[in-house]
Amino acid sequence: MTFPGGAHASRKVFIHHSCPLILRFFLAVICLSAMCFACPKSCHCSERNGLTVVQCSSRNLEEIPSNLPHDTVSLLLSSNHITKIPNQAFKNLPWLQELDLSRNAIETVDAGAFQGVTESLRVLDLSHNHMQSVPKEAFARLHAKINLSNNPWHCECTLQEVLRELRLDPETVNEVSCHTSVQEEYAGKPVIQVLDSGINFCNFHHKTTDVAMFVTMFGWFTMVIAYVIYYVRHNQEDARRHLEYLKSLPSSSQIIDQHKSCRLCGGRFVPHDRKLQKLHYFLQVLIPLFLELVLLICMLI
């Protein structure tokens, strides 16, 4: 009786302690499921092949929702008021294949905007926005077919390098046009058409930079020369007096003769004193001028 009673008692204890653990496990699974499959209030979610399609078009959104289902395969955000795609905006959507951000007011795309979906994304629509340029890193390693049409693009070196690496939608490629350009004559023309004609915006950018540097350096040298001329003209009297003083100093042959005569008469003469006087005089005149020129150049730089 004791053995069965003991066994029966221990069975009661086992059931009593294990039930809360099982309940906690099921509650955790339910909570995780709710978190993974929660749909934003302003959007409508549906299922496609066991994955989620999130429809958020025309919902007056001003930013990309952050609480999207983890298994989202298609995210439709067209016709809203989104102005920016921040870094890692879709980092929690590893299955995302289709992303529609068309007809918004997007002006800025951060360098890490599509980090986390570069491998999975297959279709990206950024048409009819307000983008003028994008960083080269934004579309790095992106394999999606991209629509960039009807944006006010500024055609320059960075945009050329970005387009070189992209897989543009062939049906809309001629609608990617230069709204403005570093060369005025290309404004209003399709970017691909301009690039196919042999135009290289990067070469033009380098030429413009080189010309600007040359003009700047020429200006600096002109100002330095003008300063030297100004300094000499306003110090002619001092310069004349300095030259007369230098002429009055004995030449090297005179110094040697004086040295010989001093040796004959037993006197003491140190010819190097005259040389030191000349050196000291030159240092007094030239060093301040040199320092003023250096100071002027530093101020110009």
Side-chain angles (χ1 to χ4, degrees), residues 235-293:
N235 293 273
Q236 288 182 350
E237 183 62 29
D238 291 339
R240 185 183 60 78
R241 189 170 63 252
H242 296 330
L243 289 173
E244 290 178 353
Y245 174 76
L246 290 175
K247 290 179 180 179
S248 66
L249 294 176
S251 63
S252 57
S253 59
Q254 291 175 335
I255 293 173
I256 292 173
D257 292 339
Q258 290 177 6
H259 178 62
K260 289 180 179 179
S261 62
C262 286
R263 288 177 60 186
L264 291 173
C265 65
R268 183 180 180 185
F269 176 72
V270 183
H272 295 287
D273 290 346
R274 293 292 184 182
K275 295 181 180 180
L276 291 175
Q277 288 178 6
K278 288 184 178 181
L279 178 61
H280 179 67
Y281 175 77
F282 275 113
L283 292 177
Q284 282 184 328
V285 174
L286 295 178
I287 287 180
L289 178 60
F290 176 75
L291 292 177
E292 289 180 8
L293 289 175

Side-chain angles (χ1 to χ4, degrees), residues 163-201:
L163 295 179
R164 185 181 298 161
E165 304 296 329
L166 294 185
R167 180 189 164 206
L168 292 176
D169 183 356
E171 296 180 2
T172 63
V173 67
N174 289 324
E175 298 174 12
V176 183
S177 300
C178 300
H179 183 71
T180 57
S181 174
V182 290
Q183 294 174 283
E184 295 287 338
E185 61 267 30
Y186 301 117
K189 295 183 179 180
V191 181
I192 299 301
Q193 179 182 329
V194 173
L195 296 178
D196 287 345
S197 67
I199 300 301
N200 190 330
F201 291 115

Side-chain angles (χ1 to χ4, degrees), residues 49-99:
N49 298 327
L51 298 172
T52 303
V53 175
V54 182
Q55 172 61 261
C56 301
S57 300
S58 304
R59 303 301 172 98
N60 295 319
L61 298 176
E62 296 184 355
E63 58 183 18
I64 298 170
S66 58
N67 55 335
L68 294 166
H70 185 70
D71 65 339
T72 298
V73 68
S74 178
L75 177 57
L76 309 177
L77 291 163
S78 61
S79 302
N80 284 290
H81 307 296
I82 300 170
T83 60
K84 179 180 180 180
I85 307 179
N87 285 319
Q88 299 183 343
F90 314 101
K91 64 177 181 179
N92 295 321
L93 306 177
W95 308 108
L96 187 63
Q97 297 181 12
E98 180 184 4
L99 177 58

